[in-house]
Amino acid sequence: MQPSSHPQQNCCCRLEFPKKNGAQHHTTEGATMLRPALACCKLYISEARNAPALRAIECAAAGLHPAAVLVNAFADDAYNRVGYTLVSPLAYDGGDSAPPPLHRAAFSMVAAALEAVDFGSHAGAHPRLGVVDHIAFHPLAGAHLDDVAALTRAVAADIGDKLQVPTYLYGAAHGEGRTLASIRRQLGYFTPNSPGEQWRGAPDASSLPVAPDAGPATPSRSKGAVAIGATAWVDNYNVPVHTADVAAAKRIARAVSERGGGLRSVQAMGLAHGEGVTEVACNLLDPASVGAEQVSAEQGLAVGKGYFTDFSQERIVELYMQSAEAEASQQ
């Protein structure tokens, strides 16, 4: 993976980005401002090669700055995928009835992505449900999961109803706590639809095997569907594998994952990652208990140095507070 390399525009408000093998987890003591209860929204967009489209998506978020801050973007050309991280106070004291800034920023980015990206022409080595594949909300710095879940459901309803995208809830936002992995399996997410372990174009299905929680029952070929949920913090950690054999990477992924009898709270996929390269992509659902060190130790084959695709939650809070302090000093 490489950090986003498309040109920055003045309207965009990213602060800094982790480089491959360089996203370090740090904890910073203290702050010069009182930290509000914060929430984080991670949006995964099925596009990394179209610079104008990415600029449009990022500028949509900039309209809510400084109330909502885009603190990270991580682009992967082989996967043709970008992960964005937004942070905002969970409570909103704007004095009107508008949704909170994180709601509006996330919705604006989704709307911009649907306008700028055509799912039918998308191709990449990472599975995806639609133009906006996945949205995850996490509580930060004093926020509660129940509050984030309510925000998630409101955003999902708007995406489904106003943008007409089939929308699936998971985690605390779903009434029965459905997992992201389970809904993905039901929708055939993990099966490539093109040779070379690639996902290409929109699915041919005229209807969905599972009814969405919001939006139409028939997906648009230009938009696809989206999974959106609320959970405690998740680390995304990827490990390059020195083999062109995707099946070998998949065997490692299964052995590492909890579902395959490996490490508790670890989900993993083995994916192609460029010419002659593979990767084990992991979700660490409880990184305080099972983290990157344990995953790397379990790999088995000769592997490269693992790397995170986002900052730690402590660093993300720090970046938001730096932005808030800078804004306050200018007033």
Side-chain angles (χ1 to χ4, degrees), residues 47 50 52-57 110-119 131:
E47 181 57 68
N50 184 335
L54 300 184
R55 287 196 295 269
I57 295 165
V110 171
L114 294 173
E115 179 70 24
V117 179
D118 180 5
F119 188 47
V131 167

Side-chain angles (χ1 to χ4, degrees), residues 17-269:
F17 315 106
K19 294 179 172 58
K20 185 174 180 177
N21 299 333
Q24 301 296 320
H25 278 204
H26 300 289
T27 300
T28 299
E29 297 292 339
T32 59
M33 292 178 62
L34 179 65
R35 292 183 176 182
L38 300 176
C40 167
C41 176
K42 296 188 178 186
L43 298 94
Y44 297 91
I45 309 295
S46 301
E47 181 57 68
R49 304 167 186 168
N50 184 335
L54 300 184
R55 287 196 295 269
I57 295 165
E58 292 164 12
C59 288
L64 274 296
H65 184 81
V69 179
L70 184 59
V71 299
N72 185 42
F74 196 99
D76 188 299
D77 188 72
Y79 290 157
N80 202 7
R81 181 180 176 90
V82 174
Y84 289 111
T85 304
L86 282 163
V87 181
S88 178
L90 190 56
Y92 178 53
D93 58 0
D96 57 35
S97 60
L102 193 58
H103 179 142
R104 287 181 281 159
F107 180 84
S108 295
M109 291 183 76
V110 171
L114 294 173
E115 179 70 24
V117 179
D118 180 5
F119 188 47
S121 63
H122 179 270
H126 197 288
R128 70 285 191 278
L129 293 176
V131 167
V132 183
D133 172 57
H134 173 209
I135 305 173
F137 285 88
H138 307 297
L140 296 173
H144 298 289
L145 184 57
D146 287 347
D147 296 327
V148 173
L151 172 65
T152 304
R153 288 190 290 269
V155 174
D158 272 359
I159 292 172
D161 298 340
K162 296 179 180 179
L163 300 178
Q164 287 296 289
V165 177
T167 303
Y168 293 89
L169 294 169
Y170 74 90
H174 185 260
E176 298 177 359
R178 176 173 60 192
T179 66
L180 175 61
S182 68
I183 190 60
R184 282 175 163 176
R185 282 193 293 271
Q186 287 179 297
L187 295 175
Y189 181 85
F190 299 105
T191 304
N193 66 354
S194 186
E197 294 290 325
Q198 298 287 305
W199 283 260
R200 190 178 304 274
D204 294 329
S206 58
S207 62
L208 294 160
V210 183
D213 297 288
T218 302
S220 162
R221 292 187 62 81
S222 65
K223 298 178 181 178
V226 61
I228 175 169
T231 71
W233 184 260
V234 175
D235 270 339
N236 303 117
Y237 182 71
N238 296 347
V239 183
V241 183
H242 299 317
T243 177
D245 184 1
V246 178
K250 289 182 177 180
R251 286 195 297 271
I252 295 173
R254 184 164 185 83
V256 168
S257 69
E258 180 175 16
R259 189 164 184 258
L263 296 170
R264 184 182 62 79
S265 72
V266 172
Q267 298 172 335
M269 293 187 294

